[in-house]
Amino acid sequence: WIIRESGAYLPNVDEEVVGTISAHVLTPSTALHIRATQTFVDVFEKQRKAGDEWLVTIDDSETHLPDVNEQVVGVVKITTLTNRQFCYILDPCGKDNKPQLGRRELRVGEASFFLQPGERLEAGIQNVNVLGEDEALLLRARMNYKDGEEERKAGDKWMVYGPADYIPPIEVEVIERRRCIPLDENEGIYVRDNTTGKVHSIIGQTYMLKPHEELWEKHLPQTIEDLLSKAATRDRKDSSVGRQRDKHRVVTYRVPHNAAVQIYDFKERKSRVIYGPELVLLAPDEQFTLMELSGDVPKKPAQTRALA
């Protein structure tokens, strides 16, 4: 047992002093995490069962002397949210102060609270999603729920467009943040429709991907990649070598004067010839026809490779 009275104490002949315990001083920003080693009634006259865990805060007492049946697990610091922050609590405690395993809870600032024993922060403290005019969030429903007047089913995808502030509820998962892609009249991107699987190109406009769309990468043989890189370096008239091509962008090639390029469409099974000077924009199903010329003495095949 513990002697809590102030003043001097003389042990009886049948008593042994085990040790002296110092009180833990509590502040508004700290709390004491306590675990019961066996069933007992604590100094606050609450029934505690063996294994129970709870917090002692400054609202309960300014100082706390751990009982013989109490084990101090550690000191818990207060969690503070500003009016531009939010967080998700995993396994939040219910009205009986028992963790509700498997549940999630959204808490929005301004707020200050202590994480109860068993509670955890998911991904820490997060900032409110601030969207500009050219931004949007791609969202997916984790479960069935009602979004205003609209019913969302688990797995549904939709987008929230800016300008806006957005805090996703516990039923919603943020997949990614998207921006409008500005394109010049000679620039384009490849876009794939996930519902139909079709790939098309968008050229010469500012485009925002739809919820069921994604950027598609067009892969070319390494030989053609090298020839395109050399041509781009020559057109820029600089020494940039080895710059990687953005595979989402529409492949472009400037056909020189007095030259021709053959392009084959694998979907239509047709070929077309473009005469320079001209700018070639490849469709998703088109490829350059690589020309291999013989050369050297004695003559050897594929000594010169060219697109035009």
Side-chain angles (χ1 to χ4, degrees):
W1 67 95
I2 294 178
I3 305 298
R4 301 177 182 272
E5 292 77 10
S6 301
Y9 180 77
L10 181 64
N12 198 352
V13 293
D14 301 321
E15 294 176 347
E16 176 187 355
V17 178
V18 178
T20 303
I21 302 174
S22 298
H24 293 267
V25 180
L26 302 174
T27 66
S29 60
T30 58
L32 209 58
H33 185 181
I34 304 295
R35 180 188 295 123
T37 57
Q38 64 184 37
T39 303
F40 75 107
V41 178
D42 64 6
V43 294
F44 306 112
E45 298 182 356
K46 292 184 179 180
Q47 178 75 23
R48 306 292 187 183
K49 295 184 178 181
D52 283 354
E53 297 184 14
W54 67 96
L55 294 182
V56 178
T57 65
I58 196 172
D59 296 333
D60 301 318
S61 175
E62 294 182 355
T63 60
H64 182 68
L65 277 171
D67 197 85
V68 291
N69 299 316
E70 294 178 352
Q71 176 186 359
V72 178
V73 179
V75 177
V76 179
K77 293 186 177 180
I78 196 169
T79 302
T80 303
L81 302 176
T82 68
N83 59 354
R84 307 296 296 170
Q85 293 178 327
F86 67 96
C87 67
Y88 298 105
I89 306 296
L90 298 179
D91 305 331
C93 290
K95 295 181 180 180
D96 57 352
N97 290 327
K98 300 293 183 183
Q100 304 174 79
L101 301 179
R103 297 193 63 181
R104 298 168 75 238
E105 180 182 323
L106 172 65
R107 295 185 185 176
V108 182
E110 298 176 353
S112 296
F113 56 90
F114 291 103
L115 287 177
Q116 297 295 323
E119 293 182 343
R120 295 175 290 122
L121 280 179
E122 180 185 14
I125 297 175
Q126 305 179 49
N127 294 322
V128 174
N129 295 288
V130 181
L131 302 176
E133 293 182 355
D134 60 340
E135 294 180 319
L137 287 177
L138 178 61
L139 308 176
R140 178 168 54 204
R142 295 174 179 264
M143 60 189 77
N144 298 341
Y145 87 106
K146 191 172 184 180
D147 183 12
E149 297 297 328
E150 191 168 355
E151 293 286 344
R152 305 286 188 185
K153 295 184 178 181
D156 283 354
K157 290 183 180 181
W158 71 99
M159 295 178 71
V160 173
Y161 299 90
D165 292 344
Y166 185 74
I167 298 177
I170 58 174
E171 299 90 356
V172 176
E173 172 190 4
V174 178
I175 300 177
E176 64 178 357
R177 179 189 290 258
R178 290 181 171 179
R179 290 178 177 270
C180 290
I181 304 174
L183 301 171
D184 191 16
E185 59 182 5
N186 293 328
E187 293 180 327
I189 54 174
Y190 297 112
V191 177
R192 183 177 185 269
D193 191 323
N194 291 325
T195 57
T196 62
K198 293 183 178 180
V199 180
H200 60 282
S201 55
I202 306 295
I203 299 174
Q205 60 176 292
T206 299
Y207 191 74
M208 170 69 79
L209 293 175
K210 295 180 175 60
H212 56 83
E213 292 179 341
E214 65 179 3
L215 290 175
W216 181 76
E217 293 185 353
K218 183 174 180 62
H219 296 278
L220 298 174
Q222 188 60 43
T223 305
I224 295 180
E225 290 276 12
D226 296 339
L227 293 174
L228 289 176
S229 178
K230 291 179 181 178
T233 303
R234 182 183 65 249
D235 293 338
R236 287 193 301 266
K237 296 181 181 179
D238 58 25
S239 58
S240 301
V241 179
R243 182 178 298 177
Q244 292 293 327
R245 176 180 66 87
D246 188 352
K247 296 182 180 180
H248 299 137
R249 294 274 176 170
V250 170
V251 179
T252 60
Y253 178 71
R254 297 183 183 275
V255 184
H257 179 67
N258 199 27
V261 171
Q262 186 181 27
I263 296 175
Y264 184 75
D265 191 324
F266 287 93
K267 187 175 182 180
E268 300 293 337
R269 297 183 180 180
K270 295 180 181 179
S271 61
R272 60 190 176 104
V273 178
I274 298 177
Y275 299 94
E278 184 63 77
L279 179 67
V280 178
L281 299 175
L282 281 190
D285 299 307
E286 291 182 336
Q287 282 280 11
F288 290 106
T289 299
L290 179 64
M291 289 173 284
E292 296 183 343
L293 307 178
S294 302
D296 207 350
V297 179
K299 184 181 292 187
K300 297 179 182 178
Q303 288 300 296
T304 301
R305 291 182 171 90
L307 296 178

